[in-house]
Amino acid sequence: ARMRVAVVGAGVSGLTATKCCLDEGLEPTCFEQSQDIGGVWRYTEHIEASRPSIYPSVISNTSKEMSAFSDFPYPEDFPVFLPNARLLDYLQRYTERFGLRKHIKFGTTVVSIRKRPDFATTGQWDVVTEADGKQTSHLFDAVMVCSGNFSEPSLPLHCFPGIKRFQGQYFHSRQYKHPDVFQGKRILVVGMGNAGVDIAVEASRVAEKVTICTSRGAWLLSRVFEHGYPWDMVYNTRFMSLIRNSLPGPLSRALVNYTVNKRFNHENYGLQPDERYFLVPILNDELPSYILTGRITIKPGLKEFKDNSVVFCNYPEEEPIDIVVFCTGYNFSFPFLEEDLVKVENKHASLYKYVFPTHLERPTLAVLGLIKPLGAIMPVTEMQARWVTRVFKGRRANVNTPCNKTRSKLDTFGLSYDEVLKIDCLVYMDELASFIGAKPSVLGLLCRDPQLALTISFGPCTPYQYRLRGPGCWEGARQAILTQWDRVLKPTRTRVPTGSSSPWPSLLTVLGFLLLLAAVVFAF
């Protein structure tokens, strides 16, 4: 009999987990409490996203080429950065293409997951679900938890002196529905994450005044990066990753400082991060211009609340405020699991490679997507699922080692409220890929296919690289890599002036080859 696997959630992680189970010949059953796929990308009154849930159109922060599943590129006519409706369309196509829907039980909530009495020998689980008010018990050989880390808002009111005397309105960012609530009001946004900045920008269009307070500051990136290319296709390359991870910490920080300040000087805008912190950049295309035009003001950390105002640290004047939005992140929890299965302490879970609980006798429980990479989450969770399903089959089962020792030399963007969830995306992907034999061999390709080797080394690290070899090898991977820029330019280059061809691409190819050759010589 085939190994039966329970998948909790039919969002991005749950869909790719289901597909990877099928690829490995396992028998998945995916339980989704809503009536359709999509997770946080499907906005309804019952399922709110980690970010404002009723925007005209929520736009992804990662480009389509970098956020595609590794064997299923986006259609070339899709925009480079996707509105949630188009991303949901992509997930629907993925579901239909690989026949996933018949393995999903909608309107079904997972109530509990418990080890069987003979777990030490069988690794099996008792899973209780509820649908239409009726509970059902199931037996599974393995479980993949794909419920995400945006389920429980973190609102530490005890950290804000005077909040009980504040007479205005306050709420967590997850409760935000529509900017109309801010009409003519004076708004304070606490926190500088993506959600906070997006809400502040949205509110500034209708509010009297909007203030963002932050004790740490933040690096700000635009989706439009150098020469107008998508930020992640320029930033996340193997060559740039090698430089970032090879330089000493101070030099690496100086490089990041120089790169992000090329667009605008963060110190002049009140955004320069504290030197003690090396934070995940936030992505927003509008904040700098909104600061310039006075629609948004940046203030230091919050000192205390008054009746109808707030006081900022090292700031003498009180600031009148009507509404406070706390963008203070999320706690991750798994109410359907026994407490000792995934031990959560100080927002840290003891998970080997951020996936497997370290103390179980059998590696048959995996948690997917409990990370925040500087880049797209979809390829990362897919790689986790590919590795996990191989472990379930006993191909790579040595996972009972101390948790999460892997760090790049540059501890990338690590110091924040959830530092253990933030990882160097490329280093982590390469490590998991090496576990299953799917990491691309640049040196090997240099002899057999130099064009592909150059593209992999100096071009964006798109997910298709992990389908060139190993289990799940996809014959279309090479073509997908070599045509990735065509799919980026197709929806934007809709008007091409006569005689616009340029010799630069070929010159860059020659230069890239020389750089790669020098790197190989240096390595030896």
Side-chain angles (χ1 to χ4, degrees):
R2 293 196 299 172
M3 189 177 193
R4 300 185 66 231
V5 180
V7 179
V8 183
V12 166
S13 301
L15 291 176
T16 192
T18 303
K19 191 248 183 195
C20 290
C21 283
L22 295 173
D23 289 346
E24 288 294 334
L26 309 180
E27 185 180 333
T29 301
C30 180
F31 299 105
E32 170 56 44
Q33 64 180 352
S34 74
Q35 297 301 322
D36 210 340
I37 65 165
V40 296
W41 288 101
R42 175 172 292 282
Y43 300 127
T44 73
E45 60 184 5
H46 301 296
I47 304 173
E48 296 168 7
S50 61
R51 298 167 63 179
S53 55
I54 306 182
Y55 272 13
S57 183
V58 178
I59 308 295
S60 65
N61 282 335
T62 52
S63 64
K64 65 178 183 180
E65 289 303 301
M66 300 298 283
S67 57
F69 291 120
S70 59
D71 56 354
F72 194 69
Y74 281 89
E76 63 178 13
D77 61 338
F78 272 39
V80 180
F81 289 94
L82 297 160
N84 65 287
R86 301 302 290 274
L87 197 146
L88 196 57
D89 180 23
Y90 172 77
L91 295 179
Q92 296 279 15
R93 295 179 186 220
Y94 182 78
T95 301
E96 301 307 319
R97 167 66 180 81
F98 297 107
L100 307 183
R101 192 170 289 273
K102 62 186 177 183
H103 299 280
I104 305 173
K105 294 186 180 296
F106 294 106
T108 305
T109 302
V110 175
V111 177
S112 70
I113 297 174
R114 299 285 184 267
K115 290 190 289 188
R116 298 270 295 171
D118 56 355
F119 178 83
T121 55
T122 65
Q124 292 180 327
W125 301 87
D126 284 319
V127 178
V128 177
T129 61
E130 183 174 321
D132 299 322
K134 179 183 177 182
Q135 290 196 354
T136 308
S137 183
H138 314 262
L139 171 65
F140 284 100
D141 300 302
V143 175
M144 301 173 80
V145 177
C146 306
S147 53
N149 53 14
F150 296 122
S151 57
E152 183 183 316
S154 173
L155 189 55
L157 294 179
H158 63 278
C159 297
F160 300 98
I163 184 64
K164 291 184 178 179
R165 64 186 286 193
F166 180 63
Q167 296 178 7
Q169 181 183 359
Y170 63 86
F171 53 84
H172 190 274
S173 57
R174 175 164 176 163
Q175 295 175 270
Y176 171 61
K177 296 281 202 236
H178 197 277
D180 285 354
V181 69
F182 300 136
Q183 187 73 45
K185 304 288 187 179
R186 295 164 298 189
I187 312 303
L188 173 65
V189 175
V190 180
M192 272 291 289
N194 284 306
V197 173
D198 286 352
I199 290 175
V201 167
E202 186 82 0
S204 68
R205 296 166 185 159
V206 297
E208 177 185 323
K209 184 177 183 181
V210 176
T211 302
I212 300 176
C213 74
T214 171
S215 58
R216 296 178 173 181
W219 297 120
L220 185 69
L221 294 180
S222 170
R223 293 180 179 88
V224 183
F225 212 59
E226 295 173 355
H227 307 294
Y229 293 121
W231 76 271
D232 50 355
M233 295 186 74
V234 177
Y235 184 87
N236 285 327
T237 70
R238 292 189 175 278
F239 181 67
M240 289 302 297
S241 177
L242 178 65
I243 293 176
R244 288 193 298 268
N245 293 318
S246 299
L247 293 175
L251 278 179
S252 297
R253 284 188 281 275
L255 176 63
V256 172
N257 192 319
Y258 170 76
T259 302
V260 297
N261 276 318
K262 280 199 297 185
R263 183 183 170 210
F264 68 92
N265 188 318
H266 282 57
E267 188 172 356
N268 293 343
Y269 285 68
L271 295 171
Q272 182 82 15
D274 189 304
E275 289 184 0
R276 293 172 298 168
Y277 304 114
F278 200 43
L279 304 178
V280 170
I282 57 176
L283 274 103
N284 192 278
D285 302 315
E286 299 163 300
L287 182 61
S289 64
Y290 279 39
I291 294 174
L292 273 181
T293 55
R295 297 167 73 171
I296 295 177
T297 304
I298 308 296
K299 291 288 179 69
L302 199 58
K303 182 179 180 181
E304 65 174 322
F305 282 90
K306 302 289 188 179
D307 290 347
N308 296 291
S309 61
V310 297
V311 179
F312 299 106
C313 296
N314 304 317
Y315 232 81
E317 308 95 22
E318 294 183 16
E319 180 91 16
I321 294 295
D322 300 310
I323 300 177
V324 180
V325 184
F326 287 102
C327 301
T328 45
Y330 291 79
N331 299 316
F332 58 91
S333 63
F334 309 101
F336 46 82
L337 291 178
E338 292 176 291
E339 287 187 11
D340 64 338
L341 289 180
V342 178
K343 298 175 182 177
V344 180
E345 297 176 1
N346 298 321
K347 298 188 178 179
H348 174 84
S350 294
L351 298 170
Y352 176 62
K353 303 305 177 190
Y354 305 94
V355 174
F356 287 102
T358 54
H359 59 286
L360 292 180
E361 303 96 321
R362 307 277 291 183
T364 56
L365 174 68
V367 180
L368 271 62
L370 199 64
I371 49 179
K372 292 185 179 180
L374 181 57
I377 186 68
M378 292 162 70
V380 178
T381 56
E382 181 190 38
M383 183 57 71
Q384 288 180 328
R386 292 175 67 187
W387 174 47
V388 165
T389 51
R390 301 282 290 177
V391 170
F392 286 170
K393 291 192 70 171
R395 304 278 175 84
R396 301 280 179 177
N398 183 24
V399 296
N400 292 314
T401 56
C403 126
N404 300 333
K405 285 189 174 179
T406 300
R407 289 282 188 181
S408 57
K409 188 172 182 180
L410 169 59
D411 193 8
T412 305
F413 308 119
L415 299 173
S416 71
Y417 82 94
D418 54 359
E419 62 177 281
V420 295
L421 299 183
K422 295 200 170 90
I423 59 167
D424 185 311
C425 182
L426 201 156
V427 172
Y428 181 68
M429 290 271 284
D430 273 357
E431 183 177 35
L432 296 192
S434 68
F435 291 164
I436 64 172
K439 180 182 175 182
S441 171
V442 177
L443 290 179
L445 285 171
L446 188 61
C447 302
R448 303 191 312 271
D449 195 338
Q451 180 188 11
L452 184 60
L454 285 170
T455 305
I456 287 176
S457 299
F458 297 100
C461 188
T462 45
Y464 323 121
Q465 295 187 11
Y466 298 104
R467 291 286 181 177
L468 290 169
R469 56 187 296 213
C473 176
W474 176 44
E475 61 181 13
R478 180 183 186 276
Q479 183 65 15
I481 294 169
L482 297 179
T483 57
Q484 57 199 7
W485 285 111
D486 296 337
R487 289 187 297 278
V488 171
L489 295 175
K490 172 75 173 178
T492 62
R493 205 173 185 185
T494 52
R495 174 186 169 272
V496 183
T498 306
S500 63
S501 60
S502 168
W504 282 110
S506 58
L507 291 176
L508 287 174
T509 300
V510 173
L511 179 61
F513 180 77
L514 293 175
L515 285 171
L516 181 61
L517 193 61
V520 172
V521 172
F522 178 76
F524 283 103

